[in-house]
Each structure stands twice: as C-alpha cells, then as structure tokens.
Amino acid sequence: MRVLAEHGIPSLVVGGYAVQEHGYARFTSDVDIVVPDVAAAMERLSISGFRVNPGSSMTLTDRVSKVEIDLLPGDGAVGPGPLMLPLPAVVSEEPTIATLRTLIEIKLSSYLGSPVSRLRDLADVIELIKANDLDESFALHEAVAGKFIEVLRDMRAEGNRSK
C-alpha cells in the first residue's frame, strides 16, 4: 500500500484478506487489490522491487515477504459477473478495506458469473453472513440481492442461522 500511495494510486483491498477483516478468519495466500489502472500500478510496483509473475498481466510478488498481489481493475470486471469492481478513490499508506457491503457484492457477483469455479466466493459470503449476523435488512445491489436472500433462506432451512 505504501508504494501505491507514494505514487498517488488509490487502492482497495478485497478478497480473502478483506474477508478476514470482516470477521471470518480463513487462510489466504495472496492480497487482492483493486486499482484504477492495473498497468500503471504494475509498473510502479515492479520499479519498486516487486516481481511480475511470469505470464500474468495482473499478478506480482513481494520479493521480501513472498506475498502474491493480484491487481484488479477498478470500474472493470475480472469475470462475467453482473457487477463491475468499485473504482477506488482513497490514497493511503494503510490498507483501505472494502466495506462489508461492497465485499459481499463483489463475492456474489463473482460467484454468479462463474458458479462452479468461484464456489469459494459463495462460501465466503455464507461465513460473512454468520460472522456478522446478517439478515434481509442488509441492502445490496439489485443484481446480487436475490442471490443473497436465497442464501439466507437456504441457511435457515439447513439450520445454520438462529434468525
């Protein structure tokens, strides 16, 4: 984050790291960061010592910590889901974590676009619902709200929620 901030690049942390920050502790081996311009961020990070992963236009590795960083296009899509990724506006040396609402919308959109290969996203949503005691009053974008309600109902039917 520090390197991106030094170059005035806004960023937003999503993915497994953000899931952890919102109450569900799970293993993740990478950090997913949304930026306005992936190519510019790749260039700045590689100049600052990050290694571009061979064959990838969006993934780098921190040479010191060995953590893989996946850069995602703000206001763009990574897969065929119904929603675009948010466009980050905050430049900060400290990680800016996606709000719970944004994170769940991203996860549900990703799952809806690729339901077989993105099952982890649906599982994350289920765990976030449990960790944050969410119900139907949790308003989401209409493109994913129906799936959210369906998941809540399925969880209740299986006895996974107390409400």
Side-chain angles (χ1 to χ4, degrees), residues 54-91:
S56 175
S57 62
M58 299 184 348
T59 305
L60 305 101
T61 300
D62 183 332
R63 292 178 194 263
V64 176
S65 69
K66 307 296 186 225
V67 171
E68 194 170 87
I69 299 165
D70 292 324
L71 296 174
L72 306 172
D75 211 22
V78 176
L83 299 178
M84 299 299 228
L85 291 167
L87 183 62
V90 176
V91 175

Side-chain angles (χ1 to χ4, degrees), residues 106 118 140:
I106 289 169
R118 302 303 301 191
L140 294 171

Side-chain angles (χ1 to χ4, degrees), residues 6-7 11 16 33-34 54 68 107 115 127 133 149 160:
E6 286 173 0
H7 295 285
S11 60
I33 303 174
V34 180
E68 194 170 87
K107 293 281 186 180
E127 296 302 333
D133 198 27
I149 298 300
N160 290 325

Side-chain angles (χ1 to χ4, degrees), residues 92-105:
S92 174
E93 288 189 14
E94 296 299 317
T96 301
I97 308 295
T99 65
L100 182 59
R101 177 167 284 104
T102 297
L103 182 59
I104 288 175
E105 288 175 342

Side-chain angles (χ1 to χ4, degrees), residues 80-138:
L83 299 178
M84 299 299 228
L85 291 167
L87 183 62
V90 176
V91 175
S92 174
E93 288 189 14
E94 296 299 317
T96 301
I97 308 295
T99 65
L100 182 59
R101 177 167 284 104
T102 297
L103 182 59
I104 288 175
E105 288 175 342
I106 289 169
K107 293 281 186 180
L108 285 172
S109 180
S110 177
Y111 169 75
L112 288 169
S114 301
V116 173
S117 63
R118 302 303 301 191
L119 279 173
R120 174 80 253 171
D121 290 321
L122 181 61
D124 284 343
V125 169
I126 291 167
E127 296 302 333
L128 288 168
I129 289 169
K130 289 190 234 178
N132 294 279
D133 198 27
L134 302 178
D135 61 23
E136 289 84 356
S137 68
F138 191 72

